[in-house]
């Protein structure tokens, strides 16, 4: 694999644009947040550099690593400190191609509260097939040793224990920290971050408007999710 | 009726502009939302194409259908997936000329909560003559067969059972889903969406500021509604 | 008095700019809101025309009336429907020169809740000397006959009964409706609207963060209010 | 020390830019807020002039004082009325170089509520090492005599009594008033204001989403704080 491969340049451009979309959508403040994309065939991950301001970022600065997260460019920048979490997720979730981490306001509220997000309406069902899980709290040992890898591991553990498909539930809350979302493309993963933040906002207010809130029925969840996903989808221009 | 009729071009322009107003007013994110207009004499409905991004939309792309919702242009785009709901509403509510559906944040909260919106102030009374209803939950059968038509039917049922005039209460919450509003023109229907979202926001906070909130008295509702509507209106430049 | 008096042109410009400031500050949506200015020596009031969109408004369109609210220009537009409220306030509150009415989100919440706003912090004290009152509900008769005048009367009654000085408490909530604020100039009256909305927002959240909220002590209210107002003010460049 | 020293010009530029960042970040309305910087070697403090509008401010107008807060320029403007608070903080907190005061919405809510802010998540831990304190209420005597100095004193007292390091907890709530933050540079102090407001917003909502909210465990606080601060930091490009 050559770093001059034009596919890498395209990945950098997509990852760059998806990172820029985060502040544009109001999903990150300062330098909080990162987007990555994987090309498994090529054996590369492209991710935002660590702590760089969005307004000063350039596409070339996106960091290229191998599938284990080792930087490949000699004079490249340091990758996002959350890279190891992305690496673990890409290893475990084979069908996802892009990952987003933000500190978006309403998603972080649910992560800090340590609560799963019930499907209270069709806006949720349009993008997430059911309850969005919150991980358990990491243990002291998990935090002290390989914290970022263990953040990935606890997400994987959560999806395994609950028997969730990452393609059907493209997001998670890490207890005390914040959300990760993913998707087929960087743009789609960012879109899932946006939707997650919006449904978190609506859900928290819903519990005040109606303290007896219930999830929508399974048949309505099915209808909305499959109206937009899978073989029988009929939303959009395809 | 010819599709070259200049009235259709004007309808497309109005529908296009009204659709664009939704993200400008902060009432939709991504591609969530659609506006349509009907011309009963001409026998056409014009509606937003399905899943198209607002920033890439053009007036010509607005989709023209007959009054049953069948597309009339050979190479036209696919209409919004909510078209069947619009069709049913146009059939039942003979005096409305335009319909808007959004997932605007505060209106969706009330829809998800499954609650009617009481008239807590004159901002509400200026545009909606009394309580804004929320439909019942659709049954499993209604969702599985002709979901979008049945969404329209449950709205019509709600207005019939409660004996409401669609011109006086130009909006509704669909349980678990979101709001529909309507009006004499696409612009007016969008305006009603904006007002609905604002009064939903204020109402939910009001119940916290004053847990004993009551609707405003009937005489104040009458005063404000009829100050702006009907023969004795005296607001504006007419 | 001649309508060609250059003072009137200046008043129109100030009233125009103050009206435009309302949507810029996020204090009004659509056409909800109006600003007026009085010149008692000249015997004129200048106010926003009724129901005109902010983006289409021009300074010349501001409406000139006499002190009883009768339009003076032959081909002028119709004044704001709230003009009679302004007229009553100008008659009773002799030291105020400008009035603003908005439907700003958080102020309307307090008006709809029918509650006075306690001085919970120094942001409040910097502009309002103590509790901001909410009027009683208007009676059916008051609403049915000369509603806008009676809205003014109930504000005046509130200030008289509570022995408040309009210059020290430059704003009020009208029960079920919304806020009125005032000041020495249109710009200052708008500023008071902005501050009122902000302290309404903070107060409602405060009662959730601390259910035992108390007003700030009198000595802190005095300090902040008189740091910015009166003979011993030392804030700003004077 | 000469006032023509180019370092002073640079300080003015930094203080000017940091002041402008406040409205850009949505942290101040009108003229509420001020930023200062100290150069202890040079013996000067540079601070925003009192009551000047942000859109009319120029770098030259920033006010230069000695370390006791006495203006040094003959024709300079009046310094911010909060200068005395800054002076006291610079005297007591020897390692801070810049101070920010705002009336940012969510921080003021906590100040008015008179509550400390617990560390409910890693967003907090990334910038503040643990609970952010709220001062006690100032006494009547403290308010009536040298109010602004005493505001500084009560902050210093709070940090001493709780044995907090100002470099580790770069912010405080003044009871009934609002937040002060600080940092190594004006830009960093503003950033801390932004973070403080965001974590105040999230914390207040968190207590509603989960009434049993707990602070994050000490080991997670340590991990996040020291990932970004101190000798073993590994966030960013250094």
């Amino acid at each position: 694999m050559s770093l001059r491969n034009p596919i890498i340049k395209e990945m950098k451009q997509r990852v760059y644009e998806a990172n820029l979309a985060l502040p544009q959508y109001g999903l990150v403040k300062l330098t909080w947040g990162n987007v990555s994309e994987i090309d498994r065939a090529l054996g590369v991950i492209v991710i935002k550099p660590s702590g760089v301001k969005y307004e000063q970022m350039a596409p070339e600065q996106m960091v290229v690593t191998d599938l284990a997260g080792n930087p490949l460019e000699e004079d490249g920048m340091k990758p996002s400190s959350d890279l190891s979490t992305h690496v673990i997720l890409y290893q475990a979730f084979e069908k996802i191609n892009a990952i987003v981490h933000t500190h978006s306001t309403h998603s972080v509220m649910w992560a800090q509260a340590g609560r799963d997000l019930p499907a209270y309406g069709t806006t949720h069902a349009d993008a997430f097939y059911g309850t969005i899980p919150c991980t358990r709290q990491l243990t002291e040992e998990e935090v002290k040793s390989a914290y970022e890898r263990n953040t990935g591991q606890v997400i994987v553990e959560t999806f395994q224990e609950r028997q969730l498909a990452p393609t059907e539930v493209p997001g998670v809350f890490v207890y005390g920290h914040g959300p990760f979302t993913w998707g087929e493309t960087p743009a789609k993963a960012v879109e899932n971050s946006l939707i997650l933040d919006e449904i978190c906002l609506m859900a928290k207010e819903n519990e005040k408007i109606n303290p007896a809130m219930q999830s929508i029925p399974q048949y309505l969840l099915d209808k909305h999710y499959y109206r937009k996903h899978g073989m029988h989808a009929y939303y959009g221009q395809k």
Side-chain angles (χ1 to χ4, degrees), chain A:
Chain A
M1 193 268 316
S2 157
L3 285 167
R4 297 219 184 90
N5 190 320
I7 292 179
I8 289 180
K9 196 172 177 190
E10 290 165 22
M11 288 176 75
K12 283 187 167 190
Q13 183 65 30
R14 278 194 300 268
V15 169
Y16 167 74
E17 288 174 9
N19 272 296
L20 279 197
L22 296 179
Q24 283 162 4
Y25 280 147
L27 297 172
V28 304
K29 294 189 157 66
L30 303 172
T31 61
W32 309 339
N34 42 72
V35 182
S36 73
E37 183 179 356
I38 193 169
D39 187 316
R40 288 182 175 83
L42 213 59
V44 297
I45 293 169
V46 174
I47 193 166
K48 177 175 174 287
S50 182
V52 173
K53 291 190 178 173
Y54 289 95
E55 58 272 33
Q56 298 168 355
M57 225 166 52
E60 314 80 77
Q61 293 175 324
M62 301 301 106
V63 182
V64 185
T65 75
D66 63 22
L67 297 188
N70 301 303
L72 293 174
E73 295 170 318
E74 273 188 24
D75 56 349
M77 300 185 84
K78 248 177 76 182
S80 164
S81 58
D82 293 310
L83 171 60
S84 300
T85 310
H86 294 232
V87 167
I88 296 294
L89 294 182
Y90 283 130
Q91 287 171 0
F93 298 167
E94 293 175 9
K95 292 183 184 162
I96 68 172
N97 301 323
I99 296 172
V100 175
H101 172 52
T102 75
H103 282 220
S104 72
T105 308
H106 307 100
S107 300
V108 169
M109 288 174 191
W110 283 86
Q112 292 189 169
R115 283 188 56 192
D116 296 349
L117 184 75
Y120 282 153
T122 64
T123 315
H124 182 126
D126 281 337
F128 293 86
Y129 187 54
T131 298
I132 300 167
C134 183
T135 69
R136 62 169 172 80
Q137 182 78 265
L138 269 73
T139 65
E140 182 159 4
E141 200 184 311
E142 286 169 335
V143 168
K144 288 192 169 165
S145 65
Y147 171 59
E148 289 83 4
R149 283 185 68 84
N150 288 330
T151 297
Q153 295 292 8
V154 80
I155 294 172
V156 174
E157 173 194 312
T158 301
F159 273 68
Q160 285 173 343
E161 283 190 357
R162 304 200 191 189
Q163 300 187 298
L164 297 172
T167 49
E168 291 178 353
V169 181
V172 71
F173 305 106
V174 176
Y175 196 154
H177 186 165
F180 284 80
T181 63
W182 44 81
E184 278 178 71
T185 61
K188 194 72 194 168
V190 168
E191 198 174 298
N192 286 333
S193 274
L194 173 70
I195 297 170
L196 182 59
D197 203 65
E198 180 74 3
I199 58 181
C200 283
L201 164 58
M202 296 195 298
K204 93 181 160 63
E205 295 303 301
N206 260 144
E207 297 185 347
K208 289 179 270 180
I209 300 175
N210 180 356
M213 278 300 294
Q214 301 279 343
S215 297
I216 55 172
Q218 183 68 35
Y219 60 83
L220 188 58
L221 182 70
D222 286 343
K223 179 69 194 179
H224 269 264
Y225 186 75
Y226 290 115
R227 191 164 83 148
K228 285 198 168 179
H229 300 87
M231 289 180 55
H232 303 293
Y234 57 93
Y235 181 92
Q237 293 298 323
K238 284 171 291 190

